[in-house]
Amino acid sequence: MGMQGSVQAALVADRDADWWRGAVIYQIYPRSFQDTTGSGIGDLAGVTQRLPYIAGLGVDAIWLSPFFASPMKDMGYDVSDYCDVDPVFGTLADFDALVAQAHACGLKVIIDQVLSHTSDQHPWFIESRNDAGGDRADWYVWADARSDGTPPTNWQSVFGGAAWTWNARRKQYYLHNFLPSQPDLNLHNSAVQDALLGAVRFWLERGVDGFRLDTVNFYFHDQQLRDNPPVAAGAGNEVPDMNPYGYQDHIYDKTRPENIGFLKRFRALLDQYPCTTSVGEVGDGARSLRTMAEYTSGGDRLHMCYSFDMLGPAFSPAHFRGCIAAFNAASDEFSDGASWPCWAFSNHDVMRHVSRWADRCDDPGQLAKLAGSVLMSLPGSICLYQGEELGLTEAELAFDDLTDPYGITFWPEFKGRDGCRTPMVWEREAPHGGFSTATKSWLPVVGPHRDQAVDVQSGDPASVLEHYRAFLKLRRTHPALVKGAIEFLDSPDDGLAFIRGDGTERILCLFNLGRHDIAFHVPNGLRATPLPIESFTAQMTDNTVTLRGHHACLATLT
């Protein structure tokens, strides 16, 4: 362990090693957060500048989407150097300053790690492509064509088309689960694992507190190169329905059993650095919740995982209850209930939830408050995506504005991910909403977002921003909402009801996800004392709580 890592270990040795359980993690998309250079692209110095705002929300940690050296074909998820900052975002010195300031603000720092694939401009791939007999010849997944010249399997790319691209120099195909410029690493090779873990250690030595692992169940492929079967009718899927990727049951190109061994190696490395954590992104269709539980079981794999189950169109008590129940059942199967989830409603890959669920409520602001309250009351850890606390909607963009290759490929049936990645709005009247002084920003600030800027909402008790601040404060002051267990209660249609308890207190959580008034019954023999939440109103009689449409009530039970 290097000097900086040793100092970090000494500093954190007496802190809560389980700080991540129930933590609130604020995701930052650096390209869109704050530009300090006038380039039109956000940077690390901009994140540092805005850390007091983030700390003021009351979150526990920040998650930085990739800022590594990259040709940016997939906005940084195509890494060409795992151990350097891309000049568009700044320098390693800027990163070190960010970490130091975040820690001074009481915030942990979690960074993305893209370990399943690299850029085709990474030196490892260039060497592998150019020398079929060299030391890195099998660092990527190369395979011969079938006898008729077609790709070795029927596997599809998430971004459209075959998952194999022909290379004339090697006279072989290489695997890419995403863009052709994102070749998949061959983690069946232990030298590849060693190199990746070396990159992880590099950032641990710089003082990071954890990692978000991109596409964590994509690390291994079937070495027999068997074709995927068709997906079963009605099976869940996390890709748009016009994408042929969703036609297959992906049992051979991801979520392979060998992944567990690598996750154990990864966790063993993190365990050398006290109080660090990991959260994995699981995209596994109908199996996602079970995979989440398996990957976080046993105390020797990942600390927590999230999936796309709550990042889709479903907004109902049955759906939320079903997700949690399914995860808990799988957790009991794998680790006697010890697995740990991380829930999110929005992130950089999906439509913002206020737009995704707009048909459920005519008032976007009230929907934002209600949805945020549900999320912040769930058991497990949670991720908030930048601008979610402002109630931002999906930005409507023209085709000429798009940068996302996913959206460009499937336009107009699927508009891609740029609509959730537009710049953060800080000041209503400033150019680009206070994000940048450039003539043009990398994505535009849309007009409706200006009215939701931070300077408009700050100090207004009726705003979405102040609701998030107040609810996060409420969550911090009630341990049952952070690490407590959950007990679901019977409730009327459109009602979601449960109790969070940690042995010292019990919190009754009631949500009306519909438009009409509904009445909930307080469990027999218990007295409910409402907690103050300014955004919501509730009528209480002896053992009944009546909620208006899209309102909520939290109460202590005695």
Side-chain angles (χ1 to χ4, degrees):
M1 187 182 295
M3 180 177 295
Q4 187 167 354
S6 299
V7 170
Q8 181 202 22
L11 290 174
V12 301
D14 61 342
R15 298 181 188 171
D16 180 10
D18 281 347
W19 65 267
W20 50 272
R21 291 188 184 273
V24 179
I25 303 166
Y26 185 87
Q27 182 193 356
I28 296 171
Y29 197 70
R31 293 181 71 87
S32 292
F33 204 59
Q34 181 67 63
D35 169 23
T36 63
T37 65
S39 68
I41 297 174
D43 46 58
L44 294 181
V47 176
T48 304
Q49 177 183 322
R50 296 296 186 178
L51 286 172
Y53 165 81
I54 301 168
L57 290 175
V59 302
D60 302 291
I62 59 172
W63 149 26
L64 297 172
S65 290
F67 52 82
F68 314 108
S70 167
M72 301 295 168
K73 298 290 181 64
D74 189 24
M75 297 303 157
Y77 284 91
D78 49 326
V79 178
S80 57
D81 187 341
Y82 283 109
C83 298
D84 202 2
V85 174
D86 193 275
V88 75
F89 296 123
T91 65
L92 280 170
D94 291 327
F95 177 80
D96 292 339
L98 188 160
V99 172
Q101 186 59 36
H103 289 166
C105 290
L107 296 168
K108 307 285 189 181
V109 178
I110 295 171
I111 66 172
D112 243 307
Q113 290 289 277
V114 189
L115 304 183
S116 65
H117 55 267
T118 70
S119 164
D120 61 357
Q121 297 182 29
H122 196 292
W124 297 346
F125 183 73
I126 294 171
E127 182 179 342
S128 184
R129 180 190 63 201
N130 292 346
D131 187 359
D135 292 341
R136 293 196 172 96
D138 64 346
W139 277 41
Y140 293 81
V141 184
W142 295 96
D144 294 332
R146 300 189 201 219
S147 59
D148 61 357
T150 56
T153 71
N154 68 348
W155 301 348
Q156 293 283 304
S157 162
V158 175
F159 288 169
W164 297 95
T165 290
W166 179 256
N167 180 259
R169 182 184 294 269
R170 284 193 54 148
K171 298 183 179 66
Q172 287 183 306
Y173 284 96
Y174 66 86
L175 177 66
H176 54 87
N177 277 297
F178 299 93
L179 294 174
S181 57
Q182 294 171 295
D184 269 51
L185 285 159
N186 178 20
L187 271 80
H188 289 287
N189 185 330
S190 61
V192 173
Q193 295 188 27
D194 293 343
L196 292 173
L197 293 175
V200 171
R201 186 183 291 275
F202 174 86
W203 296 106
L204 287 166
E205 290 291 316
R206 300 197 90 87
V208 302
D209 303 290
F211 301 92
R212 179 264 186 183
L213 299 178
D214 185 61
T215 58
V216 72
N217 58 315
F218 282 74
Y219 291 169
F220 287 82
H221 66 286
D222 175 46
Q223 288 184 292
Q224 298 180 48
L225 298 181
R226 288 171 283 188
D227 283 347
N228 285 325
V231 70
N237 213 305
E238 60 268 354
V239 299
D241 60 8
M242 76 292 299
N243 186 344
Y245 185 85
Y247 293 9
Q248 294 183 359
D249 188 3
H250 295 272
I251 61 175
Y252 292 122
D253 54 352
K254 64 181 180 182
T255 323
R256 301 300 298 160
E258 299 93 335
N259 213 27
I260 299 297
F262 178 70
L263 296 183
K264 290 182 177 181
R265 291 195 67 192
F266 181 89
R267 177 61 178 269
L269 173 58
L270 262 62
D271 286 347
Q272 297 175 30
Y273 294 79
C275 299
T276 55
T277 195
S278 54
V279 54
E281 176 199 36
V282 172
D284 203 16
R287 292 182 292 267
S288 285
L289 293 166
R290 191 174 191 277
T291 302
M292 281 174 57
E294 182 180 13
Y295 281 14
T296 59
S297 66
D300 60 352
R301 304 174 189 184
L302 300 180
H303 297 79
M304 48 188 165
C305 281
Y306 76 88
S307 70
F308 287 80
D309 290 85
M310 292 192 185
L311 294 166
F315 180 77
S316 69
H319 177 69
F320 296 132
R321 181 169 179 164
C323 287
I324 294 168
F327 176 83
N328 288 345
S331 178
D332 289 340
E333 174 188 349
F334 286 112
S335 59
D336 296 327
S339 298
W340 196 262
C342 185
W343 305 111
F345 287 171
S346 284
N347 67 19
H348 65 294
D349 280 332
V350 300
M351 179 186 291
R352 287 186 177 274
H353 66 260
V354 174
S355 293
R356 210 166 64 238
W357 298 332
D359 62 337
R360 295 302 304 264
C361 180
D362 299 328
D363 181 346
Q366 190 66 19
L367 175 60
K369 295 174 186 177
L370 175 65
S373 302
V374 171
L375 179 63
M376 290 183 279
S377 300
L378 295 180
S381 304
I382 62 170
C383 284
L384 307 179
Y385 178 50
Q386 65 179 54
E388 174 180 339
E389 76 279 12
L390 303 178
L392 293 188
T393 54
E394 186 82 352
E396 290 294 329
L397 302 175
F399 180 80
D400 290 343
D401 291 325
L402 299 190
T403 66
D404 181 16
Y406 199 0
I408 292 170
T409 298
F410 289 104
W411 179 277
E413 284 75 17
F414 174 62
K415 298 181 179 180
R417 301 165 294 178
D418 287 318
C420 67
R421 297 176 175 182
T422 54
M424 185 73 172
V425 280
W426 301 101
E427 304 168 60
R428 178 166 55 187
E429 304 302 329
H432 306 296
F435 162 69
S436 175
T437 60
T439 302
K440 183 179 180 180
S441 58
W442 81 283
L443 284 176
V445 174
V446 297
H449 284 187
R450 288 182 175 276
D451 292 334
Q452 297 170 281
V454 172
D455 70 337
V456 173
Q457 297 197 40
S458 288
D460 177 1
S463 69
V464 177
L465 174 58
E466 293 300 343
H467 174 80
Y468 267 73
R469 286 172 172 164
F471 207 103
L472 286 167
K473 182 177 180 180
L474 180 73
R475 178 184 169 97
R476 289 196 311 275
T477 55
H478 291 279
L481 293 175
V482 178
K483 298 182 181 180
I486 189 169
E487 174 190 351
F488 285 105
L489 304 175
D490 291 336
S491 60
D493 291 345
D494 289 329
L496 178 64
F498 52 83
I499 296 172
R500 298 289 309 279
D502 68 345
T504 59
E505 66 172 351
R506 302 177 76 199
I507 306 294
L508 177 66
C509 303
L510 306 174
F511 305 93
N512 183 353
L513 274 57
R515 288 182 165 85
H516 305 292
D517 292 4
I518 57 176
F520 298 83
H521 295 291
V522 178
N524 289 336
L526 295 175
R527 178 172 178 268
T529 304
L531 296 171
I533 305 174
E534 192 161 344
S535 300
F536 304 129
T537 57
Q539 294 181 339
M540 299 194 66
T541 59
D542 290 339
N543 68 337
T544 301
V545 180
T546 301
L547 291 180
R548 295 166 51 196
H550 306 120
H551 279 246
C553 176
L554 270 66
T556 57
L557 290 177
T558 53

